[in-house]
Amino acid sequence: CRDESSFGLLTENDMVRAYINGFGRETVVEDWMKSAAFRHVVVPQYMQVPPSMPLTDAAWIMCRAAEPGRTCHHLVVRADTGGWLGVFSALDVARALHGLPTELDVAKAGADGTTVDAVMKLVAAVPRCKPEDTIREALGNLDLFCQNAALVVDGDDVLGLITPRCALQALAGGVPRDLSV
């Protein structure tokens, strides 16, 4: 990266947009930035949390899941019956903390007293795709709704989660955009 003429910050969301717009792995980043334009992953048990979990515990799980050299931006919020209630993200933590207007409010509320269900996105609010949708369509939902997770659903059954990491894996693996999720 050239310090004197940096273009910007390249994120996973940029990779989503590059992939859905047909840029291949051979594309030079500088050329793509100037033009601006899967695989099914099962969520591991340790990344599934109850809605009553305190924010600090959920944040700790995200940090642990990110080690070593990995990222973890989402946890699945599961009901006692096993169904998916929502998706909890790092952005939800930031929004929850930002929603406390003063340091006194922060001290009164205490992050330990706030639970995941108070800040998670409900399943109904999370973008969706079907298993027969193309990877491009599924990742397009992330970009369209400005979210970093989309549920893969078949009827009432939640089968998995599509995230920007899926775009990175597809782009790196040269996976055609027209394959189904």
Side-chain angles (χ1 to χ4, degrees):
C1 189
R2 300 177 310 229
D3 293 336
E4 66 278 355
S5 61
S6 296
F7 282 91
L9 180 65
L10 186 64
T11 68
E12 289 178 326
N13 291 329
D14 295 316
M15 295 293 94
V16 168
R17 284 187 284 286
Y19 185 78
I20 64 177
N21 287 309
F23 290 91
R25 56 191 246 173
E26 71 286 344
T27 302
V28 176
V29 173
E30 183 177 12
D31 293 342
W32 173 74
M33 291 183 85
K34 285 181 177 176
S35 70
F38 284 131
R39 65 180 191 162
H40 174 249
V41 178
V42 175
V43 178
Q45 285 292 336
Y46 69 88
M47 292 179 65
Q48 300 176 28
V49 299
S52 59
M53 178 175 281
L55 286 179
T56 51
D57 291 351
W60 182 85
I61 288 172
M62 291 172 111
C63 288
R64 293 293 300 170
E67 293 176 9
R70 294 181 152 169
T71 58
C72 176
H73 299 275
H74 299 90
L75 298 175
V76 170
V77 183
R78 275 202 173 282
D80 293 339
T81 57
W84 288 30
L85 295 176
V87 176
F88 178 74
S89 70
L91 184 56
D92 294 327
V93 175
R95 286 182 178 144
L97 295 176
H98 177 71
L100 300 173
T102 67
E103 289 182 32
L104 179 58
D105 289 331
V106 172
K108 284 181 185 175
D112 284 339
T114 305
T115 57
V116 169
D117 63 340
V119 298
M120 71 178 186
K121 289 177 281 304
L122 295 173
V123 165
V126 178
R128 297 164 179 261
C129 66
K130 300 174 190 157
E132 60 271 13
D133 289 347
T134 65
I135 295 172
R136 182 175 190 252
E137 291 167 331
L139 292 170
N141 280 336
L142 299 183
D143 191 41
L144 178 67
F145 293 105
C146 298
Q147 293 291 319
N148 285 335
L151 299 172
V152 179
V153 296
D154 186 11
D156 292 333
D157 296 329
V158 177
L159 304 177
L161 196 62
I162 295 289
T163 68
R165 183 173 180 88
C166 298
L168 292 172
Q169 291 169 332
L171 188 60
V175 176
R177 297 176 307 146
D178 60 349
L179 285 182
S180 63
V181 173

